[in-house]
Amino acid sequence: MKLALSLLTTAAIANAHFTMQYIWKNGVDQGLNNYIRIPPSNNPVTDVTSTDLTCNVNGLTGTSVSTLSIAAGTNITFEWHQHAQRTGEDPISGGHKGPVQVYIAKAPSTAAAFDGQGSVWTKIYSSGLLTVNPQWWATDVVNATGGKHSVIIPASLPAGQYLLRAEIIALHVAETYPGAQFYIGCAQVAITGGGSANPPKVALPGAYAGSDPGITINIYNNLQSYTAPGPAVWSG
């Protein structure tokens, strides 16, 4: 009976997938799925070498997606849900524990035509394991705040069109690779104002390896610390 209950619980966690569904600009909700490259399902990406790691499945183009105009220094909030709703369940399953990260990449022309390939991504936010005992993760904060997390767009970024890439990595079945679940949402923005910074950049895929300790990890075996995959955060 206990084994059956454990298997049912594991199955429930495994099926509780989610997507990024809203972005907020300086506290103003921009509406369901607006300015976001929408994947065909809420399933995660598990192959860190796949181009799906860039902006999720079918996310290499955004020709049918509008681009949101924002000023450099804007506060952007990302909001995630399991289904197309804001009530009745956890925004993301409470069993999905892991880091929350945000990257940004400048398009050579329009954000809609940008596929995000190559060393173009700058990490501007990362939050992971906040307390060890009891474990409290960035994902727990997202659940506690209605599916939301926020980032300030660095004021020194040059004006232009960009992809904003938010990422939640669920580590509940990450003991072996592939196991970690990557939930990815990309939004298209046009930054006005700004400066002339040239921040460090990485490729996605490219910056992550399946053997990274932040990707293949048993979070239930006396975990004392955690390092999220990818480069350091650039603060601008």
Side-chain angles (χ1 to χ4, degrees), residues 91-141:
I92 61 176
S93 169
H96 287 59
K97 308 292 187 182
V100 176
Q101 307 199 104
V102 180
Y103 291 80
I104 193 166
K106 191 174 190 298
S109 56
T110 66
F114 187 30
D115 65 6
Q117 299 306 290
S119 296
V120 295
W121 293 99
T122 298
K123 186 189 285 188
I124 57 173
Y125 177 86
S126 182
S127 181
L129 181 62
L130 303 176
T131 65
V132 171
N133 189 18
Q135 281 194 17
W136 186 252
W137 290 86
T139 48
D140 294 311
V141 176

Side-chain angles (χ1 to χ4, degrees), residues 19-41:
T19 58
M20 189 176 85
Q21 298 180 11
Y22 300 85
I23 60 172
W24 298 60
K25 172 184 171 181
N26 287 331
V28 179
D29 180 1
Q30 300 301 305
L32 177 63
N33 290 331
N34 288 333
Y35 311 108
I36 297 169
R37 295 185 178 182
I38 305 166
S41 76

